[in-house]
Amino acid sequence: MGIKAALPKYEIYLYNTVLCLAMLWATSWIVEVSSSNANRKTFRSSVKPGWYYFGRKMDTADFEWVMWFSKFREHILFALSGHVLFAKICSMLAPQYRSLVYMVYGVLAVWTSMGWTYVTLILSHCILLYSISLVKIRWLCFVTGFCTLATFKCEPFVSWQAGFVEGDFELRHVLFYGGCGFTIMRCMSFALENCERKDGNFNILELLKYNFYLPFFYFGPIMTFDKFYVQANKSDLTRKEREMWNINVQGLVHLSVVLVVDVLLHFMYIITLPTDMKLLKHLSDWALVGLAYLNLLYDWVKAAVMFGVINMVSRLDHLDPPKPPKCITLLYVFSETHFDRGINDWLCKYVYNYLGGKHDNVLEELVATLCTFAVTTLWLGPCKVVLIWAFFNCFGLNFELWAAKLFCMEPFASFEMAMSEAMSRRIRAIFNTFNFWSIVLFNILALNSLDFAKLVAKRLLLKGFPITTIIVMFVTYCLIQVIKERERRQALIDNPDPLPPAPPPTTTTTTTTATTTSSSSPPSPAAAPAQPIVDPSKQKAE
């Protein structure tokens, strides 16, 4: 089945209607539960007074959201605004030194916020991995990088290195792990790219410019060194048409999203509710299923906004940063599931694609996914929940390849060839429905807790069977079809169908005698009239 397979319009309208009604129904349950339990004793630490205009309490359980857009937004805005100001001045006066100015400002900002001993710790890791990169042995760079990353995940190395942080800044714990973790990944990218360079080595100054670029330093995303090196050192700083307009629109969109999410957190306590298992056991099936889905959707929105703000600053610096993650609502295959596109690009470039090749061999794909999720587990920090999450996602990624290989064999291939494209799309959407909920259940493990994931799975598949299961799966099927319709329209825009060729003119080769005879004789009434030439674009439209 091609991605451009179409369904009747009335069918698409039906899917959209069912999906909207189901979302409104589930949301109403969550709003009701949040309002009736706002003064619950277990909510006191996370549900606090919100905006004065609403007169309602607000869910403040997510530390990252509060840190970015409430408690420490002044500090973050001040640091990023200073970077934008100095970068703009440098790009006007001495554009050839702009990457050096980025590095100097980044070092000063890190020194001011975390102390000179922390800067010394970061520099020591950079020097270590730079020295290893000079040997140009790929596996040695991996071993050194992963061992260095492991020192931030296990004792007593964590406590010893944390002692390098000075001051009582409240964010120092978050900034310490963020800066150190991303530094190791960036240094590994530099080392691996240096191994691929055939003539000479990169200068250590290039590594410091790459690592101390402030917008990416603490929170990412990771841009691989090869891309950063080319973009940060390009001499042509002219912008594309309407690029500044798009950046301004992007900033307004992010501001609007922050306001909308803050408003919704006054009415739906989607972060606090999953922490109270006693309350969850009394919720309806619709409220529980909707809560699981909205948790994933909220985490995507948070990642998209945080990375979007950083990306907006880097675009002002004439960089092309990694795009925000793909919306969880548009995901129904494991191969596109990620919440940090920078880490995903890093893993794909250096591990997954390097080991998996063309991803059509089952054994190579298994080895590539196992290594990829092993690195991801080390990056997130090995623990029970992360190991379970990694196992199920690794299994899901491989199961997709196994299923694709199976259905390409006989008799399945003949069955699909015999049916229409629309019917093939419907059958594939049924399988994608189960895939979608596998992605949801596997990922709420990492975002919430194992108990919450088990409760949702039990209610959806066992206790709620068959009524809840069938209804939820049908609504999800409608969602999959809406996603596929969006993909179909985008495919028609990106790769439109070619116009049919114009019909060739009919020519008859005759002898001179026949021509003379036909010219002297009157036209035959039985002769067929000449066919009008059809405009190809009109024919295509018809």
Side-chain angles (χ1 to χ4, degrees), residues 184-236:
I184 301 303
M185 301 298 280
R186 283 189 290 263
C187 289
M188 288 180 66
S189 175
F190 173 87
L192 294 171
E193 293 296 334
N194 194 61
C195 291
E196 297 295 328
R197 189 173 187 179
K198 300 188 183 301
D199 50 340
N201 299 288
F202 288 108
N203 195 316
I204 190 173
L205 187 62
E206 298 297 338
L207 172 59
L208 298 180
K209 292 177 184 178
Y210 171 51
N211 186 61
F212 282 101
Y213 180 67
L214 184 63
F216 295 165
F217 183 80
Y218 285 119
F219 305 108
I222 292 179
M223 179 188 287
T224 54
F225 175 74
D226 56 332
K227 296 179 180 179
F228 182 87
Y229 178 76
V230 172
Q231 296 175 22
N233 292 286
K234 66 180 180 180
S235 57
D236 183 15

Side-chain angles (χ1 to χ4, degrees), residues 256-292:
S256 302
V257 171
V258 171
L259 295 176
V260 170
V261 172
D262 271 354
V263 170
L264 292 178
L265 289 177
H266 285 79
F267 297 90
M268 295 188 293
Y269 304 151
I270 56 178
I271 313 301
T272 299
L273 284 172
T275 61
D276 193 340
M277 295 303 297
K278 290 183 179 180
L279 176 61
L280 292 178
K281 292 179 180 178
H282 299 289
L283 296 185
S284 66
D285 295 344
W286 275 104
L288 201 60
V289 170
L291 186 62

Side-chain angles (χ1 to χ4, degrees), residues 191-449:
L192 294 171
E193 293 296 334
N194 194 61
C195 291
E196 297 295 328
R197 189 173 187 179
K198 300 188 183 301
D199 50 340
N201 299 288
F202 288 108
N203 195 316
I204 190 173
L205 187 62
E206 298 297 338
L207 172 59
L208 298 180
K209 292 177 184 178
Y210 171 51
N211 186 61
F212 282 101
Y213 180 67
L214 184 63
F216 295 165
F217 183 80
Y218 285 119
F219 305 108
I222 292 179
M223 179 188 287
T224 54
F225 175 74
D226 56 332
K227 296 179 180 179
F228 182 87
Y229 178 76
V230 172
Q231 296 175 22
N233 292 286
K234 66 180 180 180
S235 57
D236 183 15
L237 299 183
T238 56
R239 296 191 181 276
K240 299 177 182 178
E241 186 180 357
R242 297 177 64 85
E243 184 177 357
M244 282 304 301
W245 168 261
N246 293 333
I247 293 175
N248 292 329
V249 170
Q250 182 184 4
L252 292 176
V253 168
H254 291 147
L255 179 61
S256 302
V257 171
V258 171
L259 295 176
V260 170
V261 172
D262 271 354
V263 170
L264 292 178
L265 289 177
H266 285 79
F267 297 90
M268 295 188 293
Y269 304 151
I270 56 178
I271 313 301
T272 299
L273 284 172
T275 61
D276 193 340
M277 295 303 297
K278 290 183 179 180
L279 176 61
L280 292 178
K281 292 179 180 178
H282 299 289
L283 296 185
S284 66
D285 295 344
W286 275 104
L288 201 60
V289 170
L291 186 62
Y293 171 73
L294 288 178
N295 260 262
L296 283 180
L297 185 60
Y298 166 80
D299 198 76
W300 171 81
V301 170
K302 178 180 69 175
V305 173
M306 290 194 304
F307 288 138
V309 172
I310 294 174
N311 289 356
M312 185 176 63
V313 175
S314 61
R315 288 176 64 190
L316 290 173
D317 295 334
H318 302 273
L319 299 181
D320 184 18
K323 297 178 181 179
K326 190 173 182 179
C327 181
I328 187 65
T329 306
L330 305 178
L331 294 176
Y332 55 88
V333 289
F334 280 90
S335 58
E336 297 182 358
T337 305
H338 53 266
F339 287 91
D340 186 340
R341 200 182 290 266
I343 291 291
N344 183 75
D345 292 345
W346 192 100
L347 292 170
C348 287
K349 180 177 177 62
Y350 299 119
V351 183
Y352 183 60
N353 292 336
Y354 185 82
L355 297 175
K358 296 181 179 180
H359 303 291
D360 54 359
N361 183 280
V362 174
L363 183 59
E364 290 181 354
E365 182 74 3
L366 180 61
V367 173
T369 52
L370 286 174
C371 293
T372 301
F373 280 100
V375 176
T376 308
T377 302
L378 179 61
W379 165 254
L380 295 175
C383 63
K384 181 180 178 181
V385 172
V386 172
L387 290 173
I388 295 174
W389 170 85
F391 170 78
F392 280 116
N393 279 273
C394 182
F395 171 77
L397 196 58
N398 282 277
F399 185 77
E400 284 181 351
L401 177 63
W402 302 339
K405 290 283 186 183
L406 176 64
F407 286 103
C408 285
M409 299 178 182
E410 296 294 341
F412 303 107
S414 299
F415 290 160
E416 187 170 18
M417 291 297 294
M419 66 179 66
S420 64
E421 287 192 342
M423 183 56 64
S424 174
R425 170 174 161 174
R426 295 185 185 100
I427 294 176
R428 284 174 177 262
I430 294 175
F431 288 100
N432 295 145
T433 298
F434 296 98
N435 217 32
F436 179 89
W437 274 103
S438 299
I439 293 173
V440 172
L441 293 174
F442 295 166
N443 283 280
I444 59 175
L445 281 169
L447 297 179
N448 295 106
S449 65

Side-chain angles (χ1 to χ4, degrees), residues 6-256:
L7 295 178
K9 287 186 177 181
Y10 67 85
E11 189 173 344
I12 300 298
Y13 293 151
L14 173 64
Y15 294 147
N16 279 282
T17 303
V18 171
L19 184 61
C20 292
L21 292 176
M23 289 298 297
L24 290 174
W25 179 251
T27 302
S28 66
W29 278 95
I30 298 175
V31 171
E32 181 182 350
V33 172
S34 301
S35 300
S36 59
N37 293 276
N39 297 318
R40 193 176 177 87
K41 185 182 295 185
T42 55
F43 288 3
R44 289 178 181 175
S45 60
S46 56
V47 179
K48 299 179 179 180
W51 294 359
Y52 173 78
Y53 307 101
F54 291 114
R56 296 176 60 93
K57 293 184 177 180
M58 178 182 177
D59 191 348
T60 61
D62 188 359
F63 172 77
E64 285 184 318
W65 186 268
V66 173
M67 173 189 71
W68 266 83
F69 305 112
S70 178
K71 197 171 184 181
F72 298 102
R73 63 187 174 193
E74 291 84 3
H75 299 81
I76 296 173
L77 286 175
F78 178 77
L80 293 179
S81 300
H83 171 87
V84 171
L85 178 62
F86 281 101
K88 184 63 177 177
I89 294 174
C90 180
S91 62
M92 291 189 300
L93 300 179
Q96 66 273 23
Y97 298 114
R98 61 192 184 95
S99 59
L100 187 62
V101 172
Y102 298 160
M103 182 199 72
V104 172
Y105 182 85
V107 171
L108 292 176
V110 174
W111 192 333
T112 304
S113 59
M114 301 292 285
W116 70 269
T117 53
Y118 180 75
V119 175
T120 305
L121 175 66
I122 296 296
L123 287 174
S124 66
H125 287 297
C126 293
I127 294 172
L128 172 63
L129 282 163
Y130 177 77
S131 303
I132 296 298
S133 70
L134 298 178
V135 185
K136 293 198 173 186
I137 301 177
R138 191 180 179 89
W139 66 264
L140 186 59
C141 295
F142 273 117
V143 171
T144 306
F146 292 147
C147 290
T148 308
L149 185 61
T151 60
F152 295 99
K153 307 296 180 181
C154 57
E155 295 290 350
F157 305 104
V158 177
S159 301
W160 177 70
Q161 293 183 97
F164 285 90
V165 181
E166 297 178 345
D168 56 353
F169 186 42
E170 192 173 349
L171 277 180
R172 67 184 185 278
H173 182 75
V174 177
L175 299 182
F176 170 78
Y177 286 104
C180 292
F182 282 112
T183 292
I184 301 303
M185 301 298 280
R186 283 189 290 263
C187 289
M188 288 180 66
S189 175
F190 173 87
L192 294 171
E193 293 296 334
N194 194 61
C195 291
E196 297 295 328
R197 189 173 187 179
K198 300 188 183 301
D199 50 340
N201 299 288
F202 288 108
N203 195 316
I204 190 173
L205 187 62
E206 298 297 338
L207 172 59
L208 298 180
K209 292 177 184 178
Y210 171 51
N211 186 61
F212 282 101
Y213 180 67
L214 184 63
F216 295 165
F217 183 80
Y218 285 119
F219 305 108
I222 292 179
M223 179 188 287
T224 54
F225 175 74
D226 56 332
K227 296 179 180 179
F228 182 87
Y229 178 76
V230 172
Q231 296 175 22
N233 292 286
K234 66 180 180 180
S235 57
D236 183 15
L237 299 183
T238 56
R239 296 191 181 276
K240 299 177 182 178
E241 186 180 357
R242 297 177 64 85
E243 184 177 357
M244 282 304 301
W245 168 261
N246 293 333
I247 293 175
N248 292 329
V249 170
Q250 182 184 4
L252 292 176
V253 168
H254 291 147
L255 179 61
S256 302

